[in-house]
Amino acid sequence: MRIPSVALNENFSVQIAKDAHVQYDPHAFGSSHGMGVLNDRHSYFLLADNGTCSRYGADLHLRQNLENYLAGRADEDGSRKMPVVCAVLEGGSNSLIAIHKYLTQEPNIPVIVCDGSGRASDLLAFAARYLDADGSFQEEVREQLLSLISTVFPDNQRQPQEILDLITQCVRKTDLLTIFRYGEGKSEDVDHAILTAVLKRQNLSLPEQVRLSHFFCLDVFQKIFH
């Protein structure tokens, strides 16, 4: 399921109907600047509308409330929880704010950043790579990050230093933040990275870990517990 913003979907008004089936063909719409189409790889959509038009972020509040609810939900006896993980592909400045909340607010939600996918993801991956053991950056790295932030988000209302502060706080959460890079490590499978983040970061019992592994390939489970 995906939670998109109505404000960013191309020609969405023609899809509105009551008590009717509406056909949606993503290829029928052109992609205007700042707009998008629904991805047909998703089975369900929960649409968010806060009254804005052509602006990102309408879905953030709804998305985070739902994810926090799912992350904190358990059976009546508290024995079974629903694990939640955030996977970041590209991402903008609003994504950085969301990632910061995932990593710092309760319940903590592990985050996987896909290095090489662009924008916020690449900034986080770069910062994580060059973060010193004391949680700071060398001055040369800091200046380079500020320059990259200005290039990636040239028209952002937030100052580069403010965005850098967010990034710094995120990459310090090494127990919750995973940088996924193709071709590095023992596995090149993103499923492995996701399952590892969930199993290692959420203090699940062994029965819960085994139950969760059923959603993934057996070979991924064997690699982690080999």
Side-chain angles (χ1 to χ4, degrees):
M1 183 181 74
R2 186 189 176 199
I3 307 178
S5 170
V6 170
L8 293 172
N9 283 284
E10 184 80 15
N11 291 338
F12 191 80
S13 60
V14 302
Q15 304 298 313
I16 299 176
K18 183 178 181 180
D19 298 328
H21 292 285
V22 179
Q23 296 295 324
Y24 181 83
D25 180 8
H27 303 292
F29 303 121
S31 181
S32 302
H33 179 69
M35 302 295 284
V37 296
L38 298 179
N39 189 331
D40 59 4
R41 294 179 180 270
H42 296 280
S43 300
Y44 299 94
F45 297 92
L46 183 59
L47 300 171
D49 184 3
N50 66 351
T52 60
C53 182
S54 301
R55 293 180 60 184
Y56 287 92
D59 57 306
L60 288 180
H61 186 67
L62 173 61
R63 180 196 304 274
Q64 290 176 349
N65 282 347
L66 176 61
E67 290 166 342
N68 288 337
Y69 170 76
L70 294 176
R73 186 180 181 185
D75 289 347
E76 292 183 359
D77 60 359
S79 62
R80 179 180 296 183
K81 296 181 180 179
M82 180 178 293
V84 177
V85 63
C86 170
V88 186
L89 290 168
E90 192 184 24
S93 58
N94 284 328
S95 298
L96 289 173
I97 296 173
I99 292 166
H100 181 265
K101 290 182 178 179
Y102 290 140
L103 297 174
T104 59
Q105 294 185 356
E106 293 293 338
N108 293 144
I109 294 177
V111 175
I112 297 174
V113 173
C114 295
D115 188 11
S117 60
R119 303 180 72 200
S121 293
D122 287 0
L123 287 173
L124 285 165
F126 181 87
R129 183 185 290 269
Y130 292 103
L131 185 72
D132 287 341
D134 62 356
S136 64
F137 298 107
Q138 295 183 11
E139 185 61 26
E140 181 181 353
V141 174
R142 179 181 171 277
E143 292 298 327
Q144 189 172 356
L145 275 168
L146 288 172
S147 176
L148 289 171
I149 291 169
S150 298
T151 301
V152 174
F153 304 123
D155 301 321
N156 197 275
Q157 294 180 350
R158 296 180 177 84
Q159 295 297 316
Q161 182 59 55
E162 184 180 355
I163 296 177
L164 178 58
D165 290 341
L166 273 178
I167 292 174
T168 303
Q169 293 175 41
C170 288
V171 296
R172 285 173 178 169
K173 297 290 185 177
T174 55
D175 58 327
L176 291 168
L177 184 68
T178 300
I179 308 298
F180 176 74
R181 301 181 179 97
Y182 283 100
E184 293 191 7
K186 297 180 180 179
S187 174
E188 298 181 6
D189 193 341
V190 68
D191 286 347
H192 181 276
I194 293 174
L195 184 57
T196 300
V198 173
L199 295 182
K200 302 295 186 182
R201 309 304 199 273
Q202 295 201 352
N203 299 319
L204 300 175
S205 66
L206 183 58
E208 288 176 319
Q209 294 180 33
V210 173
R211 178 183 60 84
L212 180 63
S213 70
H214 292 167
F215 292 99
F216 293 83
C217 297
L218 180 60
D219 61 328
V220 174
F221 183 71
Q222 290 174 335
K223 288 176 184 177
I224 294 176
F225 292 98
H226 185 270

